[in-house]
Amino acid sequence: MKKLYGLPTVVTLLAALIGVIVYRFSIYDGNSAFVWRVPLDLKIYWLAGGEVAQGADLYDNAYIGNLPFTYPPFSGTLFKWLSPLADDPLILLWQGGTALALFTVIMLVLRERGLKLSPAMWLLGILLLCCTPANEPVHGTLFFGQINIFLMLLVALDLLPRKRALPGIGIGLAAGMKLTPAYMGLVLLFQKRWWQATIAILTFAVTVAIGFVTIPDAAEFWTDAIFKSSRVGEHTNPGAQSIRSVMVRAWGIDGGWVWLAAVVVVFILTCLALRTAMKHRNNSAALALAGISSCLVSPFSWYHHWVWTVPLAVVVLVSVNQALGRRLHGFLGAQLAGFVSVLAMCAVTMPFISAPVWLSAASRSLNHWDLQPWGMLAFTGAGVIYIAFYAVWGFIPGTQPAKETTTPGSPQQPAAAQPAATTTAARPAHSVNTESTTRGGHSRAARTISDETAEMPAVGPETRAFPASQDITDIPDTPAYGRHSRSED
């Protein structure tokens, strides 16, 4: 098992960061997620579930203001179980469940990266969870009571566990609840888990069938509503963070061949990034980068859909820590590795900083910079850059792992340690964690090759609009910087 270098320094820095986050939230004069009221989207889920419980149509009207129910029928069937709950238990169950789901994803990433889940790692997971309100997608998910983190957990249960992973069921269920997670089946294909990919498709088909049985107007969604992205939001809203939305705001390009070409480029880069992840047996990076890619190529994505930046942040923390910790010796070297790894995590999540923590650097503020379109490209552009970086990393000489002896998506066991002085003749060239070279017929001592060399930085948030900075009620007003408002710029 791997260890986290400089753990005292890592814990100290994260604790200090939490203190800063708490302070910034305490002095923030706008609206934040930490107000005891039923969030806007959760209220819509609750109202829609009540309609389903009464056997009424789901897609025939709006529920709050002009906000309709935008998810597949299967989601409405599940939300039916929320309808009997009063406000307080509804808030506690949903928001508490969201935090628990996010914590589970963080721990799954730590375990998949080879760290033993010791008490110290549980403490690390709790500290990382407490840092996530600084991430705009997480803060937005909590503010609106969104379902994004639950969906990410279902996908993570399919892709991350080395043993007892869901055999495609998680992705199938997530796609049945909100179509975008179907894109994550791409990771199953790169893992060469053909049977699991088939199960994901079958599971999704079952959710569609359940929707037709339980929702009277299910056909309305599949034949009409599914093709109307305007039901989800307006591309002119700065909180919309897909490629298409950014192209509309930055250059006035709404769809067409230019958008399709951009989608194809991002898809190709994603495939190359997944290739790199599989070569280095990094399923956590595959999860995070494919999730970010799904937000980019989707016809419409809100900033809070980008919760995939959290597992990427954890990947960066562990990767930088491992890469430096193996090269820096002694106690001080380990602490330096811990210090730099936390800084690296913060650096790659900076484009997604939440407004309460740093308003001037948040995406919503960058949209109003005089220097445009670069300000409005920062959020979405960071996602493209991270995917491209990891894709290119896989082709850089010297970063290639030796030929693997295990299937990329299969459970992996840590390779046994090898004596440092073993020669080429004694160590096969196909060993997972060794590399040997010869010059002039003389063998050179093999050196250990880390599978962490291709791991990359983490990403962060996007921003859907928030209600006005005062007068929060149990049912928030339609945000001025929200789903259906248009930018005045």
Side-chain angles (χ1 to χ4, degrees):
M1 301 295 293
K2 301 172 184 175
K3 70 173 183 177
L4 200 70
Y5 296 91
L7 187 59
T9 297
V10 172
V11 169
T12 301
L13 287 177
L14 291 179
L17 181 59
I18 292 169
V20 172
I21 293 170
V22 171
Y23 170 71
R24 296 298 300 176
F25 268 90
S26 69
I27 64 173
Y28 182 61
D29 61 0
N31 290 332
S32 79
F34 298 103
V35 176
W36 192 262
R37 89 269 188 268
V38 179
L40 177 64
D41 287 346
L42 179 57
K43 192 70 174 184
I44 293 176
Y45 301 161
W46 183 85
L47 292 171
E51 294 282 279
V52 174
Q54 297 175 14
D57 288 343
L58 190 58
Y59 301 101
D60 60 338
N61 60 359
Y63 288 89
I64 297 178
N66 61 343
L67 303 179
F69 188 76
T70 60
Y71 297 164
F74 180 67
S75 290
T77 303
L78 295 180
F79 292 148
K80 177 178 68 174
W81 304 106
L82 297 177
S83 60
L85 297 177
D87 285 358
D88 288 348
L90 178 64
I91 297 169
L92 184 62
L93 177 65
W94 190 266
Q95 302 289 55
T98 298
L100 181 60
L102 184 57
F103 175 72
T104 303
V105 172
I106 291 172
M107 297 306 292
L108 284 171
V109 173
L110 291 175
R111 182 65 183 88
E112 192 275 334
R113 290 291 75 219
L115 298 173
K116 182 180 180 181
L117 298 187
S118 62
M121 287 303 101
W122 284 89
L123 173 62
L124 176 65
I126 293 171
L127 292 174
L128 288 171
L129 174 67
C130 293
C131 289
T132 56
N135 177 282
E136 190 76 306
V138 172
H139 180 243
T141 291
L142 292 172
F143 185 91
F144 289 102
Q146 263 281 333
I147 198 174
N148 310 309
I149 290 173
F150 291 112
L151 301 178
M152 181 170 65
L153 174 60
L154 285 173
V155 175
L157 289 173
D158 255 354
L159 302 179
L160 296 188
R162 299 185 178 189
K163 297 179 180 179
R164 295 180 290 277
L166 292 180
I169 295 174
I171 292 176
L173 288 175
M177 297 168 66
K178 190 173 182 178
L179 296 175
T180 308
Y183 186 88
M184 302 302 291
L186 183 65
V187 181
L188 290 177
L189 299 181
F190 272 85
Q191 290 179 333
K192 299 182 180 179
R193 297 169 64 191
W194 317 118
W195 176 238
Q196 287 84 348
T198 302
I199 291 178
I201 295 172
L202 293 176
T203 302
F204 173 71
V206 169
T207 67
V208 174
I210 291 174
F212 273 102
V213 171
T214 56
I215 306 298
D217 60 342
E220 174 70 14
F221 176 83
W222 295 109
T223 60
D224 183 60
I226 190 176
F227 302 108
K228 296 179 178 178
S229 62
S230 60
R231 297 180 77 251
V232 182
E234 298 290 344
H235 295 295
T236 52
N237 189 308
Q241 292 292 349
S242 68
I243 292 176
R244 181 171 183 175
S245 297
V246 172
M247 292 178 73
V248 169
R249 295 197 301 273
W251 300 294
I253 300 173
D254 188 1
W257 70 268
V258 177
W259 169 64
L260 291 175
V263 167
V264 170
V265 169
V266 170
F267 179 77
I268 292 173
L269 290 173
T270 302
C271 290
L272 294 176
L274 292 179
R275 166 188 173 273
T276 301
M278 293 304 103
K279 289 180 65 177
H280 292 269
R281 299 185 300 170
N282 193 334
N283 289 332
S284 295
L287 168 81
L289 295 174
I292 292 171
S293 178
S294 71
C295 297
L296 288 168
V297 304
S298 173
F300 194 97
S301 296
W302 287 116
Y303 73 96
H304 51 69
H305 296 169
W306 288 60
V307 292
W308 310 94
T309 57
V310 173
L312 189 54
V314 181
V315 167
V316 171
L317 174 70
V318 176
S319 301
V320 174
N321 185 276
Q322 296 294 299
L324 291 179
R326 292 192 181 105
R327 292 165 173 79
L328 302 175
H329 304 292
F331 176 80
L332 292 180
Q335 304 314 307
L336 180 58
F339 179 80
V340 174
S341 61
V342 174
L343 290 186
M345 180 187 72
C346 294
V348 297
T349 56
M350 186 58 66
F352 315 103
I353 192 75
S354 65
V357 174
W358 192 355
L359 179 59
S360 60
S363 176
R364 69 183 70 177
S365 298
L366 297 183
N367 276 277
H368 299 285
W369 274 9
D370 291 335
L371 183 61
Q372 294 296 354
W374 307 113
M376 67 179 69
L377 292 177
F379 187 103
T380 306
V384 176
I385 290 171
Y386 293 158
I387 293 172
F389 176 86
Y390 203 57
V392 173
W393 187 272
F395 293 95
I396 297 177
T399 67
Q400 308 303 315
K403 183 178 179 182
E404 297 189 14
T405 58
T406 58
T407 303
S410 63
Q412 300 136 13
Q413 300 298 328
Q418 299 289 341
T422 305
T423 61
T424 303
R427 300 171 75 178
H430 62 270
S431 172
V432 172
N433 65 338
T434 62
E435 174 183 279
S436 59
T437 59
T438 61
R439 289 184 179 178
H442 299 287
S443 62
R444 186 169 62 181
R447 58 187 179 89
T448 301
I449 299 299
S450 168
D451 66 351
E452 301 289 64
T453 53
E455 297 177 343
M456 125 170 189
V459 183
E462 72 168 312
T463 11
R464 183 174 107 182
F466 286 76
S469 59
Q470 65 276 344
D471 301 328
I472 300 180
T473 61
D474 285 343
I475 302 177
D477 294 332
T478 302
Y481 176 76
R483 287 181 295 190
H484 291 269
S485 62
R486 290 183 178 271
S487 173
E488 297 298 327
D489 296 341

